[in-house]
Amino acid sequence: MSLRVLNPNAEVLNKSAALHMNINAAKGLQDVLKTNLGPKGTIKMLVGGAGDIKLTKDGNTLLKEMQIQNPTAIMIARTAVAQDDISGDGTTSTVIFIGELMKQSERCIDEGMHPRVLVDGFEIAKRATLQFLEKFKTPVVMGDEPDKEILKMVARTTLRTKLYESLADQLTDIVVNAVLCIRKPEEAIDLFMVELMHMRHKFDVDTRLVEGLVLDHGSRHPDMKRRAENCYILTCNVSLEYEKSEVNAGFFYSNAEQREAMVAAERRQVDEKVRRIIELKNKVCSGNDNNFVVINQKGIDPPSLDLLARAGIIALRRAKRRNMERLVLACGGEAVNSVDDLTPGCLGWAGLVYEHVLGEEKYTFVENVKNPYSCTILIKGPNDHTIAQIKDAVRDGLRAVKNTIEDEAVVLGAGAFEVAARQYLVNEVKKTVEGRAQLGVEAFADALLVVPKTLAENAGLDTQDVIIALKGEHDRGNIVGLNQHSGDPIDPQMEGIFDNYSVKRQIINSGPVIASQLLLVDEVIRAGRNMRKPT
């Protein structure tokens, strides 16, 4: 009341109004995203102001692209996007779990229960569920040679929720091989060493893994070869073009000879650098039919290009800095910043270098490299939104494989963990809790069931039948998930449906925290229209 006396323009929502605004916002966001969950989920079409279309069922993309007005919904969306940043997946699950926690809480609060008691119950249930997750997870041994089949199962489970089945199965091998290619023993996996390159060309099933590198530009001289085999690769960051002096300087000459001498002196510095590169080429390529490729991060001017072309060298200029790191990892050798002491030891090797022209775009492929620690996933598709959809899915697939290698554990999917955790909370944990906090534990347990319920709903199955069947099997001691085709319980381990341990842990950690904060809000003070503009 005192605030209203101080500022009559502020909008104030009291007790139950504030709580119901938060609950409705969470339920509203849940209703938008829940149809996207799982392999049978539907696709959303986002149309921008300029008419650009984006087709996606990736929760992270939707939450970033959608313009959300409600402050509570924005808060939930940020939590879900943070979930994606940390573990690479689980955005849709986070949103629907928070929404379901709020929905279960609404029932109890309408019956006169205080939110604080519910929140205490949530906290107990969260700790118990995390302990249960530690027991429930399936350890996976990741030595020097990880079990490829397990990695494929995890990647397939993730990709099938984003793309149609046959394409997801094809991308599974690509994603697993890409991560295993860049993996170095005793070092963290750097997914930036997998280049995602796209070409608007052919069909989505033509997407492939290139064990090497694909650069999005070509050589700049018409006389250079378009295809070369057995190539030495020189990766350098050297300016091969004339650069003006840093201070203001001018040339003064009294006759043509002096001018010629000055122009020659200007070029001499650059020509000397080019000459050293040509000398190295002659040293390593004389007496054999090997080729020589220069990939430079800085510029190469036309006279230098001409000299290199005459010497039979393929030269590419202005490569991205990231690609310089990838090139060295893919081809071997080392990146040089000066041409003063070039040796054959700093050269990389590629069995094949060729140029592909697509419309006005040029792509250079560096393939058949020895022991690559960097690779390229070449995404193809007939239009931009297909490419964008595959790109998002591949990014999530790479993160899923990386998480599995780092966690050294997986969790049974298809809703099996959620049902098992719910039975554990209701049958064991609830009995150890005293007082009304039991209702908080029960609400949390029922909220966990939102995942199998939504999976069943999206597959066009009867949710009640499915949940009863799953609970019955779990009570008999069988750990089962949901078969989305028939609605029958299945063993996820036999079907190869696995989720990431770190994703599950993050969902259980972050969901109740946000739900608890929203439940404890009893007053919302929103700046009035007149407060926003200083008069």
Side-chain angles (χ1 to χ4, degrees), residues 460-504:
L461 303 166
D462 186 295
T463 50
Q464 273 83 14
D465 287 350
V466 165
I467 295 299
I468 288 165
L470 290 177
K471 281 184 189 170
E473 286 291 335
H474 276 265
D475 286 338
R476 288 187 210 104
N478 304 326
I479 293 173
V480 294
L482 166 67
N483 180 337
Q484 290 215 301
H485 301 292
S486 64
D488 301 326
I490 51 159
D491 180 357
Q493 194 151 7
M494 299 303 291
E495 297 293 322
I497 303 170
F498 291 103
D499 288 331
N500 274 134
Y501 161 73
S502 55
V503 172
K504 289 283 184 213

Side-chain angles (χ1 to χ4, degrees), residues 108-126:
C108 300
I109 290 165
D110 286 348
E111 289 168 8
M113 192 169 173
H114 194 280
R116 170 53 70 190
V117 182
L118 266 179
V119 168
D120 291 345
F122 282 0
E123 190 55 39
I124 294 164
K126 183 181 98 171

Side-chain angles (χ1 to χ4, degrees), residues 158-159 162-163 171 388-398:
T158 300
L159 289 168
K162 311 274 186 285
L163 301 164
L171 288 176
Q389 203 176 349
I390 297 173
K391 227 176 193 173
D392 290 337
V394 165
R395 205 169 276 127
D396 284 359
L398 290 169

Side-chain angles (χ1 to χ4, degrees), residues 242-250:
Y242 165 65
E243 289 176 4
K244 289 181 180 171
S245 57
E246 302 253 336
V247 291
N248 278 340

Side-chain angles (χ1 to χ4, degrees), residues 327-357:
L327 258 173
V328 172
L329 285 169
C331 306
E334 54 195 62
V336 294
N337 291 318
S338 151
V339 291
D340 292 340
D341 43 355
L342 288 178
T343 60
C346 60
L347 296 175
W349 173 266
L352 178 64
V353 175
Y354 64 95
E355 195 176 287
H356 182 102
V357 182

